[in-house]
Amino acid sequence: MRLRTRLFLAAFGIAGLSLLLAAALVAWLLERQLLDRIATDLVAEARLVADLVARSGTAPAVAELDREADSLGDSLGARVTIIETGGRVVGDTAEDGASLAAMENHGARPEIELARSAGIGVTRRYSTTVERDLLYAAVRVEHPRVGFVRLALPLTAVDDQIASVQRGTAVGLLLALAGALVLAWVTSAAMSRRVSAIAAVARRYAAGDPSPQIGAYGDDEIGTVARALDASVQELGRRLAELSRNRRLTDAILAAMTEGVLVVDARGRVKMANDAVRRLLQIEETPVDRHYVELIRHPEVAKQIGRALEVGGSSQTEITLSTEPVRVCLASAAPYTEQDDPGVVIVLHDVGDYRRAVQIRQDFVANVSHELRTPLTAIRGAVDALADETDPASRQRFLDIVARHTTRMERLVTDLLRLARLDAGQEVLRLDSCATASVFSSVAAELAPVLEAKQLRVAPRIEPGAERLAADPVKIHDIIKNLVENAAHYAPARSAIELDAGVEDAEAVVVLRVSDRGPGIPDTDLARVFERFYRVEHSRSRNPGGTGLGLAIVKHLVTLHQGTVEAAHRPGGGSVFTVVLPKRAPSAGAVETPHRLTA
Ligand code: ADP
């Protein structure tokens, strides 16, 4: 049933019931008042008649009394009955003569009995004499013969009056009911309109549109309820927005994390797993709401979660994951307690890089120590020998040893310092347009003594398009010098060292090549020669003046130019080092960025 109908029925029902009750009450009261008044009048008239009879002669004849009754009845508009103390009727408005004499004894009539005992008797009953409902009022008379005077009024007259009162009440009731009907209709319509408007807003809220309702709700309780609804929905909307903002932030943080994060609830169901953990633990399925045992194939991690769930307490374990490449991770498990939803958080931290860095540092320190020990031992030996040596030629020989090894240490320290500067990003690239030919010729000129010593030829070849380079002049010089120095060392005497410059990739890059006809580099070492202190194991070609850092510096400098460098076999024997540089100068911002290398 619609609200409007309910409201209407309720309002109209209450009004109708109240009106009906009121009308019934009014009708009943009026009827009673009317009857009371009629009875009072009748009693008063009966007293009057009794007075008149009492004043009449002491022993009037029956006929006289009957006449009296007739005349009094006429003037009063009621039936007057005069009754002797014994109950015999001696006068009656309705009966005369013989019929009067035939009237039965009235001494036992209820009103007479009441009058006999209380002086007055009023009853309402059916009269067998006149055959209708009558209202009787009897009073005792102080008279030697007459005992009672009774007045009777036919109730048809009374009923007529009552009926007219009831008719009036009914008309009033009908009019009031019609008014109530209209009022109930209008009120229920207005009320249901307001409630419907609020219901429409509530439906809109439920559908997920929390935009506030514009309009007045009114000042009554309905308005208060509507405003409270509005306020709570707005507040709820605000909190939901904040919650989803926080959720997005958490998701973004978790997605950006390199650490793997996995959350498992007390029943072992995965609540959350970020991309990193899925990658590390090689989880391909959708993990949320799955049991961790089904998802995690790594027995150590599964065991750690199980332990944390059963025993509680935090734990840390180092695990090796069979990913490609293999990773070493520190897995930390910590239980979390949330009122009704406890669980365990697992964080996988890839410590491979850290371990590698530690290893590199340790190797580096060992290498530096080793590199320094060789010249130091030689210097120490030479100095000891010098102390006892008196022969000038031998002394000179020992002094030469000291000088050579000091120079070597100097070089080592210079190279180490340079690498440290490059690592710290302290060497800034100052790009310029350099003529390739002059880079080649200045390197050849600087290394002329070395080249001449082995009668080596430098054969530069510059293809069209590669005449100029976008490079830092000092650094490109160092790059080529290092490569040519190595080539000069490893190349056989009287051979040629080729210096080529060309363009590739639709002239996007300049390619510089330094080739020699030396022993070349074994396949397994090609990629590693750029590592610090890495030397190919062929003692025959060991460069006594080398520090083992030259190619590491080259790689650093080339990377600073956003280029690449690699070593390869030269067709026909020997090695070829290829440096690829972007032809156009890289953007200033990118160039100035310090590059850190672990090579
Ligand atoms: P070094 O100072 O010992 O030359 P580098 O870093 O310049 O150190 O070179 C690393 C290693 O690479 C060298 O020890 C050598 O074994 C190898 N290498 C470099 N250049 C050549 C080359 N042109 N021919 C053969 N081997 C080379």
Side-chain angles (χ1 to χ4, degrees):
M1 204 191 290
R2 287 181 57 211
L3 179 75
R4 182 180 178 158
T5 320
R6 280 165 195 249
L7 284 173
F8 169 71
L9 286 180
F12 184 62
I14 292 167
L17 205 69
S18 314
L19 284 169
L20 273 173
L21 275 174
L25 198 70
V26 166
W28 179 74
L29 279 175
L30 278 174
E31 187 181 332
R32 276 213 35 202
Q33 271 187 5
L34 201 65
L35 278 172
D36 282 355
R37 218 192 64 227
I38 291 168
T40 315
D41 287 356
L42 212 59
V43 169
E45 284 168 1
R47 279 213 178 100
L48 202 71
V49 172
D51 263 11
L52 284 171
V53 171
R55 270 187 226 143
S56 65
T58 48
V62 170
E64 199 179 323
L65 284 171
D66 189 36
R67 260 197 315 283
E68 182 86 16
D70 287 350
S71 88
L72 283 169
D74 279 350
S75 49
L76 292 173
R79 178 183 162 200
V80 177
T81 312
I82 302 171
I83 303 156
E84 281 183 348
T85 317
R88 190 166 77 95
V89 178
V90 286
D92 191 280
T93 316
E95 308 294 337
D96 288 314
S99 62
L100 179 70
M103 279 178 77
E104 64 179 283
N105 189 303
H106 272 46
R109 291 289 195 270
E111 64 276 4
I112 302 298
E113 277 183 342
L114 279 171
R116 187 176 290 125
S117 58
I120 297 170
V122 179
T123 55
R124 179 184 174 164
R125 62 184 172 76
Y126 186 74
S127 160
T128 45
T129 317
V130 291
E131 295 175 344
R132 60 167 74 159
D133 257 352
L134 292 173
L135 184 67
Y136 295 100
V139 290
R140 221 177 26 226
V141 185
E142 297 304 324
H143 189 272
R145 181 169 185 186
V146 179
F148 304 99
V149 165
R150 188 186 72 174
L151 258 69
L153 200 64
L155 277 178
T156 41
V158 175
D159 286 344
D160 283 351
Q161 284 189 46
I162 289 170
S164 100
V165 166
Q166 281 173 342
R167 264 197 307 280
T169 314
V171 170
L173 176 69
L174 278 177
L175 285 175
L177 279 177
L181 188 89
V182 172
L183 267 177
W185 183 253
V186 170
T187 323
S188 61
M191 191 80 89
S192 84
R193 228 185 353 262
R194 291 177 60 205
V195 174
S196 299
I198 294 165
V201 175
R203 269 197 298 277
R204 213 187 60 212
Y205 286 153
D209 173 10
S211 51
Q213 160 76 5
I214 298 145
Y217 288 121
D219 292 329
D220 56 6
E221 284 77 358
I222 292 183
T224 310
V225 169
R227 274 190 293 277
L229 175 76
D230 247 7
S232 39
V233 167
Q234 298 311 315
E235 181 58 26
L236 211 67
R238 255 195 304 281
R239 287 194 191 171
L240 275 177
E242 198 177 309
L243 219 62
S244 79
R245 245 197 324 274
N246 285 346
R247 179 74 211 229
R248 280 201 300 276
L249 191 69
T250 314
D251 285 351
I253 292 170
L254 286 168
M257 275 173 79
T258 46
E259 285 83 8
V261 180
L262 183 83
V263 181
V264 177
D265 70 9
R267 289 175 303 137
R269 306 237 160 247
V270 173
K271 303 297 286 174
M272 201 221 69
N274 72 347
D275 291 349
V277 86
R278 294 175 67 177
R279 217 169 29 245
L280 288 169
L281 297 178
Q282 291 162 300
I283 301 173
E284 271 138 35
E285 309 88 319
T286 313
V288 174
D289 280 341
R290 300 275 304 275
H291 200 277
Y292 77 93
V293 175
E294 297 169 29
L295 292 170
I296 298 170
R297 287 169 208 101
H298 198 286
E300 272 295 309
V301 181
K303 226 196 280 172
Q304 202 182 6
I305 296 174
R307 225 178 12 248
L309 284 173
E310 278 163 32
V311 188
S314 309
S315 63
Q316 283 199 331
T317 321
E318 194 166 296
I319 51 166
T320 308
L321 299 173
S322 50
T323 44
E324 190 51 52
V326 172
R327 283 173 202 273
V328 181
C329 283
L330 192 66
S332 314
Y336 70 88
T337 37
E338 215 182 74
Q339 282 179 343
D340 53 342
D341 190 18
V344 174
V345 182
I346 308 287
V347 178
L348 294 183
H349 186 74
D350 188 345
V351 288
D353 283 350
Y354 170 74
R355 295 263 184 278
R356 258 190 305 281
V358 170
Q359 190 59 48
I360 287 169
R361 196 172 308 131
Q362 281 169 354
D363 289 353
F364 183 73
V365 172
N367 279 327
V368 172
S369 315
H370 177 76
E371 293 291 326
L372 286 172
R373 206 175 52 211
T374 316
L376 275 174
T377 312
I379 292 167
R380 176 85 195 262
V383 170
D384 284 350
L386 257 179
D388 306 329
E389 191 59 71
T390 48
D391 176 36
S394 299
R395 284 181 72 96
Q396 188 54 51
R397 216 179 60 243
F398 290 130
L399 279 174
D400 286 348
I401 292 172
V402 171
R404 205 170 56 244
H405 286 287
T406 313
T407 312
R408 190 176 159 189
M409 277 172 64
E410 226 172 54
R411 271 216 214 172
L412 184 68
V413 172
T414 310
D415 280 359
L416 280 172
L417 282 174
R418 180 148 209 207
L419 269 175
R421 263 206 322 277
L422 285 165
D423 280 345
Q426 287 167 352
E427 284 215 19
V428 176
L429 198 67
R430 293 182 209 292
L431 286 176
D432 206 347
S433 171
C434 312
T436 313
S438 63
V439 173
F440 287 169
S441 61
S442 67
V443 168
E446 195 182 330
L447 295 176
V450 185
L451 296 168
E452 276 163 19
K454 285 179 81 175
Q455 298 177 20
L456 296 169
R457 277 176 294 113
V458 172
R461 201 178 65 220
I462 297 167
E463 285 175 17
E467 295 88 353
R468 299 202 80 79
L469 296 168
D472 182 317
V474 179
K475 292 184 177 67
I476 192 71
H477 177 89
D478 292 347
I479 293 168
I480 303 298
K481 189 187 120 188
N482 251 304
L483 296 176
V484 175
E485 215 172 1
N486 278 349
H489 175 74
Y490 294 105
R494 288 179 293 281
S495 62
I497 296 173
E498 280 143 22
L499 297 181
D500 295 306
V503 283
E504 276 177 20
D505 282 353
E507 303 205 359
V509 292
V510 176
V511 182
L512 305 173
R513 283 195 185 85
V514 178
S515 325
D516 62 62
R517 290 171 167 71
I521 301 167
D523 284 343
T524 45
D525 299 312
L526 279 174
R528 300 199 61 191
V529 288
F530 297 98
E531 289 175 21
R532 290 165 196 202
F533 297 116
Y534 189 84
R535 290 196 179 93
V536 178
E537 286 298 326
H538 43 77
S539 51
R540 185 175 56 85
S541 61
R542 177 94 155 79
N543 179 2
T547 59
L549 297 173
L551 288 181
I553 292 171
V554 166
K555 171 119 187 180
H556 235 314
L557 293 174
V558 172
T559 310
L560 206 56
H561 282 84
Q562 297 191 356
T564 57
V565 58
E566 58 180 33
H569 298 294
R570 177 181 164 278
S575 353
V576 48
F577 283 83
T578 309
V579 174
V580 180
L581 297 177
K583 185 147 191 248
R584 248 185 295 132
S587 61
V591 169
E592 299 289 339
T593 310
H595 290 263
R596 289 168 190 272
L597 289 181
T598 49

